[in-house]
Amino acid sequence: MPQRPLTRRAIPANPIFMGLDFSTQGLKATFIDAAGQVLAEPSVLFDTDLPAFKTEGGVHHHADGLTVTAPPLMWVAALDLILARMQKENLPLAKVAAISGSGQQHGSVYLRCGARARLGALDSRLTLRDQLQDVFAFDAAPVWMDSSTSRQCRERDTALGGAQAVAELTGSRSYERFTGNQIAKIYQQHPKAYAATDHIALVSSFTASLLIGTYAPIEPGDGAGMNLMNIRTRRWAPAALRCTAPGLAKRLGPIVPSHKVVGHLSRYFSDRCGFAPHTQVIAFSGDNPNSLAALGLARSGDIAISLGTSDTVFGALSAPKPSATEGHIFGNPINPQGYMALICYKNGSLTREAVRNEFARGSWKAFEAALARTPSGNGGRIGFYFKEPEITPTVLKPVIYRFGPDGRPTRFTPEQNVRAVVEGQYLSMRLHGNNIGLVPQKILATGGASVNKSLLQVMADVFGTPVHVSSQPNSASLGAAYRALHGWHCARARGFVPFEKVVRAAASFTPAAEPDRAKHRIYTAMLKRYADMEKRVISISAQSVRGQGRDISGA
Ligand code: XUL
């Protein structure tokens, strides 16, 4: 998307909208005009721009190897810094009509009694950081990379009737990084600090609170990442709160629809930075729900496959199928009755690149030629390439498995390896996506590897659906900016307005591959064998977890 610098000399006649994305590594703002055109994108990187917080990749890894946290004051300081940069760049902040935002999912911030009053009485002569140093009951916010709460997950399973029951109620089975399990750990290990906590926010609702000068509510896109919200009613599930910690409902506050105005920008920002005093703040959501908004996925049947460092498959759903084994169901931030499903793979581009380097001389051209020389279905050969421990399905050690048409471990030629890694990844996405209700009618391919046409052709053939690509990046801050525009329209209409009616820019996709029906039939026949082999792989890998990662069948 072309970008033009936004200066006072180029102030658009119409209002502009801002999305703020507090990701794991940094803070980015995206400014758009009312047509959804991107105008400016200032950013801050935590490690390098705020070195005093001594983070690595925006987080602190603790000595137990499981606990991962981030200092919430760093997010406050990042907001100070990005606002200063916006002023320095002369961005016309007075033109901003509405702001929404995005936060890394699952992270939680614990605010002590008195924090609300402090947020509401900020002095515009001072930085936010100077005034908010001591509002935290904990200086460390657990984040999504934390996996220290297995005990609390098992306690939740027991209290709520097992993993499938937790998934049915909250949209996901108990996951270590999910906020409810983090809150339970804090309550158990630091009861005094928990007692002193007045309010618990997600990264998204905390950063919205900074803007509106009081506690901002949580919305269903991010609220679903806590194991605490009833995924169907979009309210807190009393049984899930009870087994977490006492007095939790009042500490969490309400859940509101994602398009709702949660407040107006507090006076601090108009006095200090020149925003208009009536600037609306629309509920902030998680980064994945905001990425869904960036692609405009409001209805069932459109799914996005993001081919990046890790691959993700996500899409809108009307009838959720929560699973005890995989994936997540979240609220859909652009459709208040709808849902979104997400599955995440650790073995994405780096694994494809490793196979390219080993079997295609490190060249994408040679990789594509190998794909062209081998038949769809690879003559019945199926491969599993886990260069990294995998989460979909759970495979804890790096390992490679190659099976011949007779189901026995075997060797592959270099080109068979190339085809096997690509087909295996897409068969897995079709299988696991289907398990949580993601059955595409159209696929939007995003992420770095989506420029590779031959990868997209195999994708279209495996799924049997057309594949489109977008000029839009798969970007949470852009999605947040679109949601600001959407929420502003809803507020003006005093009711919900369909997202696609007011954010037309979100759906600009171009066709990239059409499925070949005969090849699709080959993949459909292969899917059952793939699923059976995957079960074998999971069981072999679980048994060998104490051994070293290995390649069991050679090249
Ligand atoms: C999703 C998840 C991550 C974080 C990253 O469940 O844990 O995608 O949201 O920011």
Side-chain angles (χ1 to χ4, degrees):
M1 168 171 295
Q3 280 189 30
R4 58 190 159 90
L6 187 68
T7 63
R8 279 191 198 286
R9 294 183 60 220
I11 293 173
N14 294 320
I16 61 174
F17 302 86
M18 180 168 95
L20 281 176
D21 175 32
F22 288 82
S23 73
T24 313
Q25 302 189 353
L27 167 60
K28 178 171 158 192
T30 297
F31 289 84
I32 58 168
D33 63 18
Q37 188 76 9
V38 175
L39 304 170
E41 295 202 290
S43 61
V44 162
L45 268 180
F46 300 143
D47 293 0
T48 47
D49 286 324
L50 296 165
F53 291 96
K54 297 190 167 60
T55 55
E56 263 179 67
V59 299
H60 294 142
H61 292 269
H62 294 236
D64 64 1
L66 296 172
T67 306
V68 185
T69 61
L73 190 63
M74 178 178 74
W75 299 323
V76 175
L79 185 57
D80 281 327
L81 187 55
I82 204 164
L83 289 170
R85 287 185 177 168
M86 289 173 191
Q87 288 180 279
K88 205 166 161 213
E89 286 175 35
N90 259 340
L91 300 186
L93 302 180
K95 289 267 182 184
V96 176
I99 301 173
S100 189
S102 166
Q104 53 171 300
Q105 291 203 258
H106 318 297
S108 45
V109 179
Y110 300 77
L111 294 161
R112 65 166 73 248
C113 299
R116 190 201 288 268
R118 187 74 65 80
L119 286 169
L122 295 169
D123 180 339
S124 63
R125 290 165 302 179
L126 303 172
T127 63
L128 294 168
R129 179 182 179 171
D130 284 342
Q131 299 176 80
L132 296 174
Q133 314 247 13
D134 56 356
V135 296
F136 303 104
F138 291 95
D139 291 340
V143 296
W144 67 279
M145 294 158 88
D146 186 287
S147 45
S148 66
T149 66
S150 296
R151 180 179 145 198
Q152 288 74 19
C153 288
R154 299 300 74 80
E155 288 168 357
R156 179 173 307 280
D157 289 348
T158 308
L160 297 179
Q164 185 62 37
V166 177
E168 289 293 342
L169 181 65
T170 70
S172 301
R173 70 166 163 84
S174 306
Y175 280 93
E176 276 76 1
R177 67 192 194 286
F178 274 45
T179 323
N181 310 311
Q182 298 291 340
I183 296 172
K185 177 183 151 189
I186 283 181
Y187 165 65
Q188 290 168 15
Q189 298 187 357
H190 307 276
K192 282 199 184 130
Y194 181 80
T197 298
D198 185 42
H199 182 72
I200 302 174
L202 294 175
V203 178
S204 57
S205 63
F206 170 63
T207 47
S209 304
L210 297 174
L211 296 183
I212 64 172
T214 186
Y215 300 151
I218 290 172
E219 57 67 68
D222 217 9
M226 303 172 80
N227 281 146
L228 297 178
M229 189 188 84
N230 181 321
I231 189 66
R232 289 185 171 80
T233 63
R234 295 159 170 90
R235 293 177 178 212
W236 301 121
L241 298 190
R242 267 196 307 276
C243 69
T244 303
L248 192 48
K250 82 171 167 43
R251 287 179 171 82
L252 291 172
I255 300 174
V256 300
S258 312
H259 60 276
K260 194 169 156 59
V261 176
V262 294
H264 291 89
L265 205 55
S266 83
R267 188 140 173 219
Y268 175 87
F269 298 95
S270 39
D271 288 353
R272 188 174 171 91
C273 319
F275 283 96
H278 51 266
T279 306
Q280 292 173 341
V281 178
I282 313 299
F284 281 28
S285 185
D287 52 358
N288 295 298
N290 277 294
S291 293
L292 179 106
L295 299 174
L297 303 185
R299 276 186 299 268
S300 282
D302 286 354
I303 72 164
I305 296 185
S306 170
L307 300 174
T309 309
S310 57
D311 289 346
T312 51
V313 182
F314 58 91
L317 277 183
S318 46
K321 282 173 66 179
S323 161
T325 50
E326 62 209 329
H328 310 301
I329 307 290
F330 298 144
N332 184 325
I334 56 175
N335 176 356
Q337 270 80 49
Y339 302 90
M340 70 172 282
L342 171 95
I343 45 179
C344 188
Y345 292 88
K346 276 197 186 161
N347 287 275
S349 285
L350 296 181
T351 301
R352 285 183 289 273
E353 275 162 32
V355 171
R356 178 202 65 185
N357 293 346
E358 196 172 346
F359 301 112
R361 305 187 311 275
S363 138
W364 283 122
K365 220 170 153 204
F367 190 95
E368 294 196 29
L371 267 182
R373 278 198 301 274
T374 42
S376 299
N378 220 359
R381 294 170 191 84
I382 291 180
F384 296 83
Y385 297 77
F386 302 119
K387 287 274 172 193
E388 294 282 330
E390 184 51 79
I391 48 180
T392 312
T394 308
V395 172
L396 296 171
K397 289 265 173 183
V399 65
I400 294 174
Y401 297 98
R402 300 176 182 87
F403 298 105
D406 56 0
R408 291 224 283 269
T410 187
R411 286 172 178 274
F412 288 178
T413 64
E415 20 193 73
Q416 287 165 350
N417 274 291
V418 166
R419 181 160 280 281
V421 70
V422 177
E423 290 184 342
Q425 289 184 332
Y426 295 149
L427 284 166
S428 174
M429 290 175 186
R430 183 170 161 195
L431 174 73
H432 293 284
N434 193 28
N435 287 349
I436 54 166
L438 285 175
V439 184
Q441 274 138 36
K442 184 171 90 189
I443 296 173
L444 309 169
T446 68
S450 65
V451 295
N452 191 321
K453 286 263 178 201
S454 47
L455 288 184
L456 301 188
Q457 187 57 55
V458 182
M459 187 188 279
D461 294 341
V462 169
F463 283 90
T465 53
V467 172
H468 292 232
V469 289
S470 164
S471 54
Q472 234 79 295
N474 171 20
S475 141
S477 65
L478 178 64
Y482 284 166
R483 291 203 314 104
L485 172 61
H486 178 231
W488 181 76
H489 276 289
C490 294
R492 289 206 328 169
R494 294 175 194 275
F496 184 77
V497 178
F499 183 84
E500 59 274 25
K501 280 218 162 120
V502 290
V503 192
R504 295 203 179 85
S508 60
F509 299 104
T510 44
E514 281 294 321
D516 177 313
R517 292 288 148 208
K519 290 178 180 169
H520 179 55
R521 278 194 293 277
I522 295 176
Y523 290 121
T524 300
M526 216 169 152
L527 202 60
K528 166 90 179 62
R529 282 185 61 233
Y530 181 87
D532 290 344
M533 283 182 190
E534 190 193 80
K535 281 197 196 115
R536 273 171 69 193
V537 163
I538 296 167
S539 117
I540 305 169
S541 96
Q543 286 159 20
S544 70
V545 127
R546 271 163 285 128
Q548 287 301 307
R550 67 214 164 102
D551 179 335
I552 67 157
S553 50

